[in-house]
Amino acid sequence: MAVHENHADHVGAEFDRERAEVTAAAEAEPALSFLAHYRRGVYDFGVDRLAEPEASALRDRLRLLGRQFCHLTMRLDRILAEARTGGLIRVVLHGGNAAAFCDAVVPDAHLFGLALTLGADEAEERQPILTEQPAVRSADQAVAMLATRLRALAQLPTANPGGWETTGRAGRQAAEDSGETVTEIRHRTADKLPDGELAFARDSLREYIRAPDLHFVAFCANCEPVLTFDRLADPVLGPYFQQITIPVRRAFYHRLSREVGDVAARFNRTAADVVGGLLDRLVLDVEQGAVYYYRLGAGRFLMGVTLNQDEVSTVDDRMAELARRFRPVGVGSREK
């Protein structure tokens, strides 16, 4: 299907190169149904593959959704600043029927992209690991690479959104990880859960946490942390704590694990009619790592953190695998 390109009246010739890059990216990536550029949440220009006769109404809806995403992203940027991990450079919202991406280019300028996917049941049957859905992964990479090219036009270096440019560098270190510096905390809410569920969650989280990439992981129920594991005190992570202490950052992530469920719900209310059903995955990619939310169902979810920007996509894959492990044994079974 040919792409449809359009721009707002305020956009002049000074954006010709950016418009050409956005159009080229959309033409090269068939998984992208909608791709647009915003400044301060105001629509500038975009490209889409929307079919008539519904195209006009859906185009207006997606432009509005992009605006809402940009404003939510800028608000979250201020919240995450407390962790001293840099600005929020990429947000991924993954639901049953679509995935949305919001990538920062320069301050107050964002790209918003949308990839339509399979229906929820069909998608889970064909691709049980969320991050392995080909259309979502390809579209995510396309938007990230476009953000890097637009930064280059402004003479700025890459921010490596998604860690796509450096994936896999921690593999050798992971094989040598001793696991001796794990901090495990059992929170008060653990007393309200069955022993079998707690034992499974503890064993699973302990297995996945490691110093080279996944640095913090929480199993949460009803927006409260139940079990948290972290490697923040590992000596290899020392360079990440030159501006903040380990206890302060740990406390921030504990507090965020209580708030991220509400953040996911806010995104879900904003985009439910487009992405389809409940939100399954949310990625908040900052300059120094990322925060991950994976819904397990029945009020349960996982929150993970990496401080290693090189391994953002690798940790996303590992979080997706971890979330998948919970469902077959009935821990937080998926709602219908």
Side-chain angles (χ1 to χ4, degrees), residues 17-18 105-107 147-159:
R17 291 189 302 170
E18 285 82 357
V105 179
V106 295
T148 296
R149 290 197 298 273
L150 295 187
R151 284 179 61 83
L153 291 180
Q155 304 297 310
L156 293 171
T158 178

Side-chain angles (χ1 to χ4, degrees), residues 173-182 206 211 231 234:
Q173 292 176 310
E176 302 170 354
D177 185 14
S178 66
E180 295 178 354
T181 54
V182 176
R206 179 63 189 250
R231 298 295 299 271
D234 197 291

Side-chain angles (χ1 to χ4, degrees), residues 257-275:
S257 71
R258 295 181 174 91
E259 298 171 357
V260 71
D262 290 336
V263 171
R266 194 176 309 133
F267 272 106
N268 199 84
R269 288 192 296 270
T270 300
D273 62 320
V274 176
V275 302

Side-chain angles (χ1 to χ4, degrees), residues 39-77:
R39 284 178 301 162
R40 302 179 190 89
V42 176
Y43 175 83
D44 290 322
F45 49 88
V47 184
D48 65 68
R49 286 187 173 84
L50 306 178
E52 298 293 351
E54 299 87 0
S56 180
L58 181 55
R59 186 174 295 123
D60 289 343
R61 173 68 185 100
L62 295 183
R63 287 180 186 173
L64 174 60
L65 182 60
R67 177 179 180 177
Q68 293 169 317
F69 254 64
C70 290
H71 284 298
L72 283 172
T73 297
M74 289 185 283
R75 193 177 309 160
L76 280 170
D77 185 33

Side-chain angles (χ1 to χ4, degrees), residues 126-179:
R126 296 188 186 181
Q127 289 289 353
I129 304 301
L130 281 174
T131 56
E132 292 180 1
Q133 292 184 15
V136 173
R137 198 175 190 93
S138 182
D140 189 358
Q141 291 174 331
V143 178
M145 289 187 291
L146 175 59
T148 296
R149 290 197 298 273
L150 295 187
R151 284 179 61 83
L153 291 180
Q155 304 297 310
L156 293 171
T158 178
N160 192 17
W164 299 114
E165 301 170 31
T166 48
T167 297
R169 289 186 179 177
R172 183 179 303 175
Q173 292 176 310
E176 302 170 354
D177 185 14
S178 66

Side-chain angles (χ1 to χ4, degrees), residues 74-312:
M74 289 185 283
R75 193 177 309 160
L76 280 170
D77 185 33
R78 294 189 289 271
I79 294 172
L80 295 173
E82 186 178 339
R84 303 291 182 89
T85 48
L88 182 57
I89 60 173
R90 167 178 162 265
V91 174
V92 179
L93 181 75
H94 194 162
N97 298 327
F101 317 94
C102 187
D103 287 38
V105 179
V106 295
D108 296 330
H110 295 83
L111 293 168
F112 174 74
L114 181 77
L116 297 178
T117 66
L118 301 169
D121 294 338
E122 189 178 1
E124 185 152 351
E125 179 180 347
R126 296 188 186 181
Q127 289 289 353
I129 304 301
L130 281 174
T131 56
E132 292 180 1
Q133 292 184 15
V136 173
R137 198 175 190 93
S138 182
D140 189 358
Q141 291 174 331
V143 178
M145 289 187 291
L146 175 59
T148 296
R149 290 197 298 273
L150 295 187
R151 284 179 61 83
L153 291 180
Q155 304 297 310
L156 293 171
T158 178
N160 192 17
W164 299 114
E165 301 170 31
T166 48
T167 297
R169 289 186 179 177
R172 183 179 303 175
Q173 292 176 310
E176 302 170 354
D177 185 14
S178 66
E180 295 178 354
T181 54
V182 176
T183 297
E184 174 185 351
I185 298 177
R186 175 183 168 125
H187 298 260
R188 287 179 297 178
T189 48
D191 297 335
K192 301 177 182 179
L193 270 63
D195 290 342
E197 182 175 357
L198 281 174
F200 177 83
R202 183 183 184 278
D203 292 345
S204 298
L205 269 59
R206 179 63 189 250
E207 178 182 343
Y208 272 74
I209 193 81
R210 64 188 191 188
D213 48 31
L214 182 54
H215 302 135
F216 177 97
V217 64
F219 171 58
C220 303
N222 301 316
C223 290
E224 289 290 335
V226 176
L227 297 170
T228 57
F229 287 76
D230 73 69
R231 298 295 299 271
L232 301 180
D234 197 291
V236 74
L237 301 185
Y240 296 115
F241 291 92
Q242 296 175 357
Q243 301 182 61
I244 189 172
T245 66
I246 293 169
V248 169
R249 184 171 276 163
R250 180 180 288 130
F252 172 80
Y253 289 138
H254 284 165
R255 187 166 67 254
L256 186 62
S257 71
R258 295 181 174 91
E259 298 171 357
V260 71
D262 290 336
V263 171
R266 194 176 309 133
F267 272 106
N268 199 84
R269 288 192 296 270
T270 300
D273 62 320
V274 176
V275 302
L278 294 173
L279 176 66
D280 292 313
R281 167 180 167 239
L282 176 66
V283 181
L284 306 176
D285 184 355
V286 291
E287 292 176 274
Q288 194 177 81
V291 176
Y292 310 88
Y293 163 93
Y294 275 83
R295 182 178 64 87
L296 304 177
R300 272 62 159 174
F301 65 84
L302 296 173
M303 188 188 102
V305 177
T306 183
L307 299 173
N308 187 345
Q309 188 61 27
D310 288 351
E311 298 301 323
V312 166

